[in-house]
PDB file of all heavy atoms in Angstrom:
ATOM      1  N   PHE A 145     170.536 138.246-126.947  1.00  0.00           N
ATOM      2  CA  PHE A 145     170.489 139.101-128.154  1.00  0.00           C
ATOM      3  C   PHE A 145     170.248 138.331-129.415  1.00  0.00           C
ATOM      4  O   PHE A 145     170.375 137.055-129.411  1.00  0.00           O
ATOM      5  CB  PHE A 145     171.707 139.851-128.179  1.00  0.00           C
ATOM      6  CG  PHE A 145     172.856 139.070-128.684  1.00  0.00           C
ATOM      7  CD1 PHE A 145     173.237 139.051-130.093  1.00  0.00           C
ATOM      8  CD2 PHE A 145     173.735 138.254-127.902  1.00  0.00           C
ATOM      9  CE1 PHE A 145     174.274 138.226-130.612  1.00  0.00           C
ATOM     10  CE2 PHE A 145     174.652 137.479-128.266  1.00  0.00           C
ATOM     11  CZ  PHE A 145     174.967 137.476-129.705  1.00  0.00           C
ATOM     12  N   LYS A 146     169.851 139.090-130.437  1.00  0.00           N
ATOM     13  CA  LYS A 146     169.704 138.503-131.764  1.00  0.00           C
ATOM     14  C   LYS A 146     170.043 139.642-132.795  1.00  0.00           C
ATOM     15  O   LYS A 146     169.990 140.744-132.501  1.00  0.00           O
ATOM     16  CB  LYS A 146     168.298 138.001-131.953  1.00  0.00           C
ATOM     17  CG  LYS A 146     167.208 138.949-132.119  1.00  0.00           C
ATOM     18  CD  LYS A 146     165.860 138.416-132.397  1.00  0.00           C
ATOM     19  CE  LYS A 146     164.721 139.413-132.433  1.00  0.00           C
ATOM     20  NZ  LYS A 146     163.423 138.850-132.629  1.00  0.00           N
ATOM     21  N   TYR A 147     170.540 139.129-133.917  1.00  0.00           N
ATOM     22  CA  TYR A 147     170.845 140.072-135.031  1.00  0.00           C
ATOM     23  C   TYR A 147     169.516 140.416-135.811  1.00  0.00           C
ATOM     24  O   TYR A 147     168.711 139.511-136.082  1.00  0.00           O
ATOM     25  CB  TYR A 147     171.798 139.362-135.965  1.00  0.00           C
ATOM     26  CG  TYR A 147     173.296 139.454-135.561  1.00  0.00           C
ATOM     27  CD1 TYR A 147     173.819 138.336-134.951  1.00  0.00           C
ATOM     28  CD2 TYR A 147     174.014 140.508-135.704  1.00  0.00           C
ATOM     29  CE1 TYR A 147     175.116 138.282-134.525  1.00  0.00           C
ATOM     30  CE2 TYR A 147     175.376 140.600-135.220  1.00  0.00           C
ATOM     31  CZ  TYR A 147     175.921 139.481-134.637  1.00  0.00           C
ATOM     32  OH  TYR A 147     177.242 139.425-134.279  1.00  0.00           O
ATOM     33  N   LEU A 148     169.387 141.641-136.012  1.00  0.00           N
ATOM     34  CA  LEU A 148     168.283 142.182-136.891  1.00  0.00           C
ATOM     35  C   LEU A 148     168.793 142.353-138.319  1.00  0.00           C
ATOM     36  O   LEU A 148     168.113 142.309-139.201  1.00  0.00           O
ATOM     37  CB  LEU A 148     167.677 143.471-136.352  1.00  0.00           C
ATOM     38  CG  LEU A 148     167.031 143.301-135.023  1.00  0.00           C
ATOM     39  CD1 LEU A 148     166.405 144.693-134.538  1.00  0.00           C
ATOM     40  CD2 LEU A 148     165.998 142.261-134.912  1.00  0.00           C
ATOM     41  N   SER A 149     170.118 142.554-138.446  1.00  0.00           N
ATOM     42  CA  SER A 149     170.916 142.700-139.670  1.00  0.00           C
ATOM     43  C   SER A 149     172.305 142.679-139.289  1.00  0.00           C
ATOM     44  O   SER A 149     172.640 142.639-138.117  1.00  0.00           O
ATOM     45  CB  SER A 149     170.520 144.080-140.224  1.00  0.00           C
ATOM     46  OG  SER A 149     171.197 145.142-139.636  1.00  0.00           O
ATOM     47  N   PRO A 150     173.277 142.596-140.289  1.00  0.00           N
ATOM     48  CA  PRO A 150     174.673 142.651-139.847  1.00  0.00           C
ATOM     49  C   PRO A 150     175.183 143.848-139.071  1.00  0.00           C
ATOM     50  O   PRO A 150     176.201 143.859-138.463  1.00  0.00           O
ATOM     51  CB  PRO A 150     175.402 142.540-141.262  1.00  0.00           C
ATOM     52  CG  PRO A 150     174.345 141.904-142.109  1.00  0.00           C
ATOM     53  CD  PRO A 150     173.103 142.432-141.684  1.00  0.00           C
ATOM     54  N   THR A 151     174.322 144.868-138.978  1.00  0.00           N
ATOM     55  CA  THR A 151     174.738 146.078-138.329  1.00  0.00           C
ATOM     56  C   THR A 151     173.758 146.528-137.210  1.00  0.00           C
ATOM     57  O   THR A 151     173.883 147.612-136.768  1.00  0.00           O
ATOM     58  CB  THR A 151     174.902 147.405-139.363  1.00  0.00           C
ATOM     59  OG1 THR A 151     173.706 147.462-140.036  1.00  0.00           O
ATOM     60  CG2 THR A 151     176.052 147.107-140.279  1.00  0.00           C
ATOM     61  N   LYS A 152     172.794 145.661-136.871  1.00  0.00           N
ATOM     62  CA  LYS A 152     171.798 146.007-135.845  1.00  0.00           C
ATOM     63  C   LYS A 152     171.491 144.737-135.019  1.00  0.00           C
ATOM     64  O   LYS A 152     171.228 143.733-135.548  1.00  0.00           O
ATOM     65  CB  LYS A 152     170.595 146.599-136.461  1.00  0.00           C
ATOM     66  CG  LYS A 152     169.504 146.986-135.437  1.00  0.00           C
ATOM     67  CD  LYS A 152     168.275 147.578-136.032  1.00  0.00           C
ATOM     68  CE  LYS A 152     168.705 149.042-136.521  1.00  0.00           C
ATOM     69  NZ  LYS A 152     167.404 149.788-136.863  1.00  0.00           N
ATOM     70  N   ILE A 153     171.446 144.922-133.685  1.00  0.00           N
ATOM     71  CA  ILE A 153     170.994 143.916-132.796  1.00  0.00           C
ATOM     72  C   ILE A 153     169.914 144.285-131.879  1.00  0.00           C
ATOM     73  O   ILE A 153     169.618 145.494-131.777  1.00  0.00           O
ATOM     74  CB  ILE A 153     172.232 143.467-131.899  1.00  0.00           C
ATOM     75  CG1 ILE A 153     172.851 144.579-131.025  1.00  0.00           C
ATOM     76  CG2 ILE A 153     173.413 142.866-132.750  1.00  0.00           C
ATOM     77  CD1 ILE A 153     173.748 144.260-129.926  1.00  0.00           C
ATOM     78  N   GLU A 154     169.209 143.248-131.376  1.00  0.00           N
ATOM     79  CA  GLU A 154     168.138 143.530-130.405  1.00  0.00           C
ATOM     80  C   GLU A 154     168.504 142.755-129.184  1.00  0.00           C
ATOM     81  O   GLU A 154     168.805 141.560-129.172  1.00  0.00           O
ATOM     82  CB  GLU A 154     166.848 142.974-130.952  1.00  0.00           C
ATOM     83  CG  GLU A 154     165.598 143.221-129.933  1.00  0.00           C
ATOM     84  CD  GLU A 154     164.377 142.602-130.497  1.00  0.00           C
ATOM     85  OE1 GLU A 154     163.649 143.354-131.246  1.00  0.00           O
ATOM     86  OE2 GLU A 154     164.122 141.396-130.314  1.00  0.00           O
ATOM     87  N   ILE A 155     168.542 143.455-128.059  1.00  0.00           N
ATOM     88  CA  ILE A 155     168.895 142.900-126.727  1.00  0.00           C
ATOM     89  C   ILE A 155     167.637 142.761-125.850  1.00  0.00           C
ATOM     90  O   ILE A 155     166.833 143.647-125.858  1.00  0.00           O
ATOM     91  CB  ILE A 155     169.932 143.858-126.069  1.00  0.00           C
ATOM     92  CG1 ILE A 155     171.206 144.000-126.843  1.00  0.00           C
ATOM     93  CG2 ILE A 155     170.239 143.301-124.588  1.00  0.00           C
ATOM     94  CD1 ILE A 155     172.128 144.983-126.229  1.00  0.00           C
ATOM     95  N   THR A 156     167.525 141.543-125.194  1.00  0.00           N
ATOM     96  CA  THR A 156     166.479 141.359-124.308  1.00  0.00           C
ATOM     97  C   THR A 156     167.003 141.650-122.922  1.00  0.00           C
ATOM     98  O   THR A 156     167.983 141.057-122.520  1.00  0.00           O
ATOM     99  CB  THR A 156     165.932 139.901-124.406  1.00  0.00           C
ATOM    100  OG1 THR A 156     165.467 139.698-125.762  1.00  0.00           O
ATOM    101  CG2 THR A 156     164.869 139.609-123.423  1.00  0.00           C
ATOM    102  N   ARG A 157     166.356 142.570-122.312  1.00  0.00           N
ATOM    103  CA  ARG A 157     166.781 143.032-120.940  1.00  0.00           C
ATOM    104  C   ARG A 157     166.335 142.045-119.929  1.00  0.00           C
ATOM    105  O   ARG A 157     165.225 141.622-119.909  1.00  0.00           O
ATOM    106  CB  ARG A 157     166.153 144.390-120.601  1.00  0.00           C
ATOM    107  CG  ARG A 157     166.591 145.082-119.365  1.00  0.00           C
ATOM    108  CD  ARG A 157     165.544 145.988-118.751  1.00  0.00           C
ATOM    109  NE  ARG A 157     165.142 147.022-119.569  1.00  0.00           N
ATOM    110  CZ  ARG A 157     165.775 148.249-119.638  1.00  0.00           C
ATOM    111  NH1 ARG A 157     166.726 148.533-118.775  1.00  0.00           N
ATOM    112  NH2 ARG A 157     165.378 149.228-120.464  1.00  0.00           N
ATOM    113  N   PRO A 158     167.193 141.687-118.944  1.00  0.00           N
ATOM    114  CA  PRO A 158     166.872 140.860-117.789  1.00  0.00           C
ATOM    115  C   PRO A 158     165.840 141.575-116.971  1.00  0.00           C
ATOM    116  O   PRO A 158     165.782 142.824-116.801  1.00  0.00           O
ATOM    117  CB  PRO A 158     168.138 140.726-117.021  1.00  0.00           C
ATOM    118  CG  PRO A 158     169.196 140.971-118.000  1.00  0.00           C
ATOM    119  CD  PRO A 158     168.672 141.893-118.941  1.00  0.00           C
ATOM    120  N   LYS A 159     164.837 140.898-116.455  1.00  0.00           N
ATOM    121  CA  LYS A 159     163.646 141.554-115.725  1.00  0.00           C
ATOM    122  C   LYS A 159     164.176 142.222-114.511  1.00  0.00           C
ATOM    123  O   LYS A 159     165.049 141.771-113.788  1.00  0.00           O
ATOM    124  CB  LYS A 159     162.724 140.516-115.311  1.00  0.00           C
ATOM    125  CG  LYS A 159     161.902 139.802-116.440  1.00  0.00           C
ATOM    126  CD  LYS A 159     160.849 138.936-115.909  1.00  0.00           C
ATOM    127  CE  LYS A 159     160.003 138.331-117.121  1.00  0.00           C
ATOM    128  NZ  LYS A 159     159.344 139.303-117.895  1.00  0.00           N
ATOM    129  N   GLY A 160     163.695 143.458-114.364  1.00  0.00           N
ATOM    130  CA  GLY A 160     163.996 144.280-113.271  1.00  0.00           C
ATOM    131  C   GLY A 160     165.345 144.963-113.281  1.00  0.00           C
ATOM    132  O   GLY A 160     165.684 145.631-112.308  1.00  0.00           O
ATOM    133  N   LEU A 161     166.064 144.908-114.398  1.00  0.00           N
ATOM    134  CA  LEU A 161     167.424 145.464-114.427  1.00  0.00           C
ATOM    135  C   LEU A 161     167.334 146.999-114.566  1.00  0.00           C
ATOM    136  O   LEU A 161     166.383 147.547-115.320  1.00  0.00           O
ATOM    137  CB  LEU A 161     168.188 144.914-115.662  1.00  0.00           C
ATOM    138  CG  LEU A 161     169.769 145.299-115.658  1.00  0.00           C
ATOM    139  CD1 LEU A 161     170.337 144.587-114.490  1.00  0.00           C
ATOM    140  CD2 LEU A 161     170.279 144.787-116.965  1.00  0.00           C
ATOM    141  N   ASP A 162     168.181 147.751-113.907  1.00  0.00           N
ATOM    142  CA  ASP A 162     168.226 149.197-113.881  1.00  0.00           C
ATOM    143  C   ASP A 162     168.320 149.759-115.297  1.00  0.00           C
ATOM    144  O   ASP A 162     168.959 149.246-116.245  1.00  0.00           O
ATOM    145  CB  ASP A 162     169.542 149.546-113.131  1.00  0.00           C
ATOM    146  CG  ASP A 162     169.451 151.079-112.776  1.00  0.00           C
ATOM    147  OD1 ASP A 162     169.885 151.886-113.705  1.00  0.00           O
ATOM    148  OD2 ASP A 162     169.162 151.407-111.691  1.00  0.00           O
ATOM    149  N   ASN A 163     167.707 150.903-115.602  1.00  0.00           N
ATOM    150  CA  ASN A 163     167.724 151.553-116.851  1.00  0.00           C
ATOM    151  C   ASN A 163     169.000 151.994-117.352  1.00  0.00           C
ATOM    152  O   ASN A 163     169.283 152.087-118.520  1.00  0.00           O
ATOM    153  CB  ASN A 163     166.659 152.763-116.941  1.00  0.00           C
ATOM    154  CG  ASN A 163     165.271 152.366-116.700  1.00  0.00           C
ATOM    155  OD1 ASN A 163     164.809 151.237-117.000  1.00  0.00           O
ATOM    156  ND2 ASN A 163     164.552 153.257-116.049  1.00  0.00           N
ATOM    157  N   GLY A 164     169.984 152.312-116.312  1.00  0.00           N
ATOM    158  CA  GLY A 164     171.276 152.787-116.609  1.00  0.00           C
ATOM    159  C   GLY A 164     172.376 151.657-116.745  1.00  0.00           C
ATOM    160  O   GLY A 164     173.546 152.009-116.774  1.00  0.00           O
ATOM    161  N   ALA A 165     171.871 150.460-116.955  1.00  0.00           N
ATOM    162  CA  ALA A 165     172.900 149.270-116.992  1.00  0.00           C
ATOM    163  C   ALA A 165     173.835 149.459-118.197  1.00  0.00           C
ATOM    164  O   ALA A 165     173.347 150.034-119.234  1.00  0.00           O
ATOM    165  CB  ALA A 165     172.148 147.974-117.003  1.00  0.00           C
ATOM    166  N   ILE A 166     174.979 148.916-118.195  1.00  0.00           N
ATOM    167  CA  ILE A 166     175.925 148.962-119.171  1.00  0.00           C
ATOM    168  C   ILE A 166     175.994 147.565-119.947  1.00  0.00           C
ATOM    169  O   ILE A 166     176.321 146.608-119.281  1.00  0.00           O
ATOM    170  CB  ILE A 166     177.321 149.275-118.700  1.00  0.00           C
ATOM    171  CG1 ILE A 166     177.335 150.627-117.805  1.00  0.00           C
ATOM    172  CG2 ILE A 166     178.403 149.300-119.769  1.00  0.00           C
ATOM    173  CD1 ILE A 166     178.545 150.791-116.910  1.00  0.00           C
ATOM    174  N   TYR A 167     175.709 147.668-121.225  1.00  0.00           N
ATOM    175  CA  TYR A 167     175.567 146.399-122.051  1.00  0.00           C
ATOM    176  C   TYR A 167     176.900 146.460-122.932  1.00  0.00           C
ATOM    177  O   TYR A 167     177.170 147.477-123.658  1.00  0.00           O
ATOM    178  CB  TYR A 167     174.347 146.425-122.951  1.00  0.00           C
ATOM    179  CG  TYR A 167     173.110 146.245-122.122  1.00  0.00           C
ATOM    180  CD1 TYR A 167     172.444 147.378-121.656  1.00  0.00           C
ATOM    181  CD2 TYR A 167     172.448 145.025-121.898  1.00  0.00           C
ATOM    182  CE1 TYR A 167     171.299 147.295-120.941  1.00  0.00           C
ATOM    183  CE2 TYR A 167     171.247 144.907-121.220  1.00  0.00           C
ATOM    184  CZ  TYR A 167     170.677 146.082-120.712  1.00  0.00           C
ATOM    185  OH  TYR A 167     169.581 145.927-120.059  1.00  0.00           O
ATOM    186  N   GLU A 168     177.555 145.373-122.949  1.00  0.00           N
ATOM    187  CA  GLU A 168     178.728 145.246-123.738  1.00  0.00           C
ATOM    188  C   GLU A 168     178.567 144.123-124.838  1.00  0.00           C
ATOM    189  O   GLU A 168     177.971 143.049-124.499  1.00  0.00           O
ATOM    190  CB  GLU A 168     180.052 144.919-122.972  1.00  0.00           C
ATOM    191  CG  GLU A 168     181.283 144.811-123.699  1.00  0.00           C
ATOM    192  CD  GLU A 168     182.474 144.528-122.812  1.00  0.00           C
ATOM    193  OE1 GLU A 168     182.664 143.405-122.397  1.00  0.00           O
ATOM    194  OE2 GLU A 168     183.246 145.524-122.550  1.00  0.00           O
ATOM    195  N   PHE A 169     178.892 144.398-126.076  1.00  0.00           N
ATOM    196  CA  PHE A 169     178.756 143.371-127.176  1.00  0.00           C
ATOM    197  C   PHE A 169     180.050 143.266-127.862  1.00  0.00           C
ATOM    198  O   PHE A 169     180.535 144.231-128.427  1.00  0.00           O
ATOM    199  CB  PHE A 169     177.589 143.907-128.085  1.00  0.00           C
ATOM    200  CG  PHE A 169     177.180 142.919-129.121  1.00  0.00           C
ATOM    201  CD1 PHE A 169     176.537 141.814-128.805  1.00  0.00           C
ATOM    202  CD2 PHE A 169     177.603 143.117-130.498  1.00  0.00           C
ATOM    203  CE1 PHE A 169     176.142 140.835-129.800  1.00  0.00           C
ATOM    204  CE2 PHE A 169     177.212 142.255-131.400  1.00  0.00           C
ATOM    205  CZ  PHE A 169     176.524 141.051-131.106  1.00  0.00           C
ATOM    206  N   ILE A 170     180.539 142.034-128.020  1.00  0.00           N
ATOM    207  CA  ILE A 170     181.780 141.807-128.771  1.00  0.00           C
ATOM    208  C   ILE A 170     181.563 140.784-129.807  1.00  0.00           C
ATOM    209  O   ILE A 170     180.965 139.753-129.595  1.00  0.00           O
ATOM    210  CB  ILE A 170     182.933 141.209-127.720  1.00  0.00           C
ATOM    211  CG1 ILE A 170     183.111 142.178-126.674  1.00  0.00           C
ATOM    212  CG2 ILE A 170     184.168 140.919-128.440  1.00  0.00           C
ATOM    213  CD1 ILE A 170     184.005 141.650-125.477  1.00  0.00           C
ATOM    214  N   TYR A 171     181.996 141.226-131.063  1.00  0.00           N
ATOM    215  CA  TYR A 171     181.646 140.354-132.196  1.00  0.00           C
ATOM    216  C   TYR A 171     182.780 140.427-133.195  1.00  0.00           C
ATOM    217  O   TYR A 171     183.637 141.320-133.186  1.00  0.00           O
ATOM    218  CB  TYR A 171     180.312 140.876-132.912  1.00  0.00           C
ATOM    219  CG  TYR A 171     180.384 142.169-133.416  1.00  0.00           C
ATOM    220  CD1 TYR A 171     180.402 142.365-134.743  1.00  0.00           C
ATOM    221  CD2 TYR A 171     180.457 143.284-132.581  1.00  0.00           C
ATOM    222  CE1 TYR A 171     180.458 143.670-135.357  1.00  0.00           C
ATOM    223  CE2 TYR A 171     180.481 144.607-133.170  1.00  0.00           C
ATOM    224  CZ  TYR A 171     180.439 144.745-134.478  1.00  0.00           C
ATOM    225  OH  TYR A 171     180.614 145.994-135.046  1.00  0.00           O
ATOM    226  N   MET A 172     182.769 139.564-134.233  1.00  0.00           N
ATOM    227  CA  MET A 172     183.789 139.514-135.358  1.00  0.00           C
ATOM    228  C   MET A 172     183.162 140.547-136.319  1.00  0.00           C
ATOM    229  O   MET A 172     182.110 140.356-136.829  1.00  0.00           O
ATOM    230  CB  MET A 172     184.073 138.149-135.892  1.00  0.00           C
ATOM    231  CG  MET A 172     184.873 137.243-135.009  1.00  0.00           C
ATOM    232  SD  MET A 172     186.497 137.848-134.892  1.00  0.00           S
ATOM    233  CE  MET A 172     187.130 137.703-136.510  1.00  0.00           C
ATOM    234  N   ALA A 173     183.999 141.552-136.718  1.00  0.00           N
ATOM    235  CA  ALA A 173     183.563 142.582-137.631  1.00  0.00           C
ATOM    236  C   ALA A 173     184.362 142.564-138.940  1.00  0.00           C
ATOM    237  O   ALA A 173     185.435 142.011-138.987  1.00  0.00           O
ATOM    238  CB  ALA A 173     183.641 143.877-136.845  1.00  0.00           C
ATOM    239  N   LYS A 174     183.780 143.252-139.964  1.00  0.00           N
ATOM    240  CA  LYS A 174     184.484 143.494-141.183  1.00  0.00           C
ATOM    241  C   LYS A 174     184.305 144.926-141.641  1.00  0.00           C
ATOM    242  O   LYS A 174     183.606 145.686-141.035  1.00  0.00           O
ATOM    243  CB  LYS A 174     183.921 142.489-142.244  1.00  0.00           C
ATOM    244  CG  LYS A 174     182.450 142.654-142.598  1.00  0.00           C
ATOM    245  CD  LYS A 174     181.978 141.731-143.610  1.00  0.00           C
ATOM    246  CE  LYS A 174     180.520 141.846-143.962  1.00  0.00           C
ATOM    247  NZ  LYS A 174     180.061 140.885-144.874  1.00  0.00           N
TER     248      LYS A 174
END
């Protein structure tokens, strides 16, 4: 993943992964 802004991220999907996969993101917030 990478940050596009403090409130938006871009996730790179592993090849062949199911469309319904569950992505979890944990970060320090303010």
Side-chain angles (χ1 to χ4, degrees):
F145 75 92
K146 65 179 181 181
Y147 282 99
L148 301 179
S149 75
T151 57
K152 181 176 286 190
I153 60 172
E154 180 182 271
I155 296 172
T156 299
R157 183 208 301 269
K159 289 188 181 299
L161 192 62
D162 192 281
N163 296 331
I166 303 164
Y167 296 83
E168 184 176 76
F169 186 72
I170 300 173
Y171 67 107
M172 287 295 295
K174 62 181 180 180

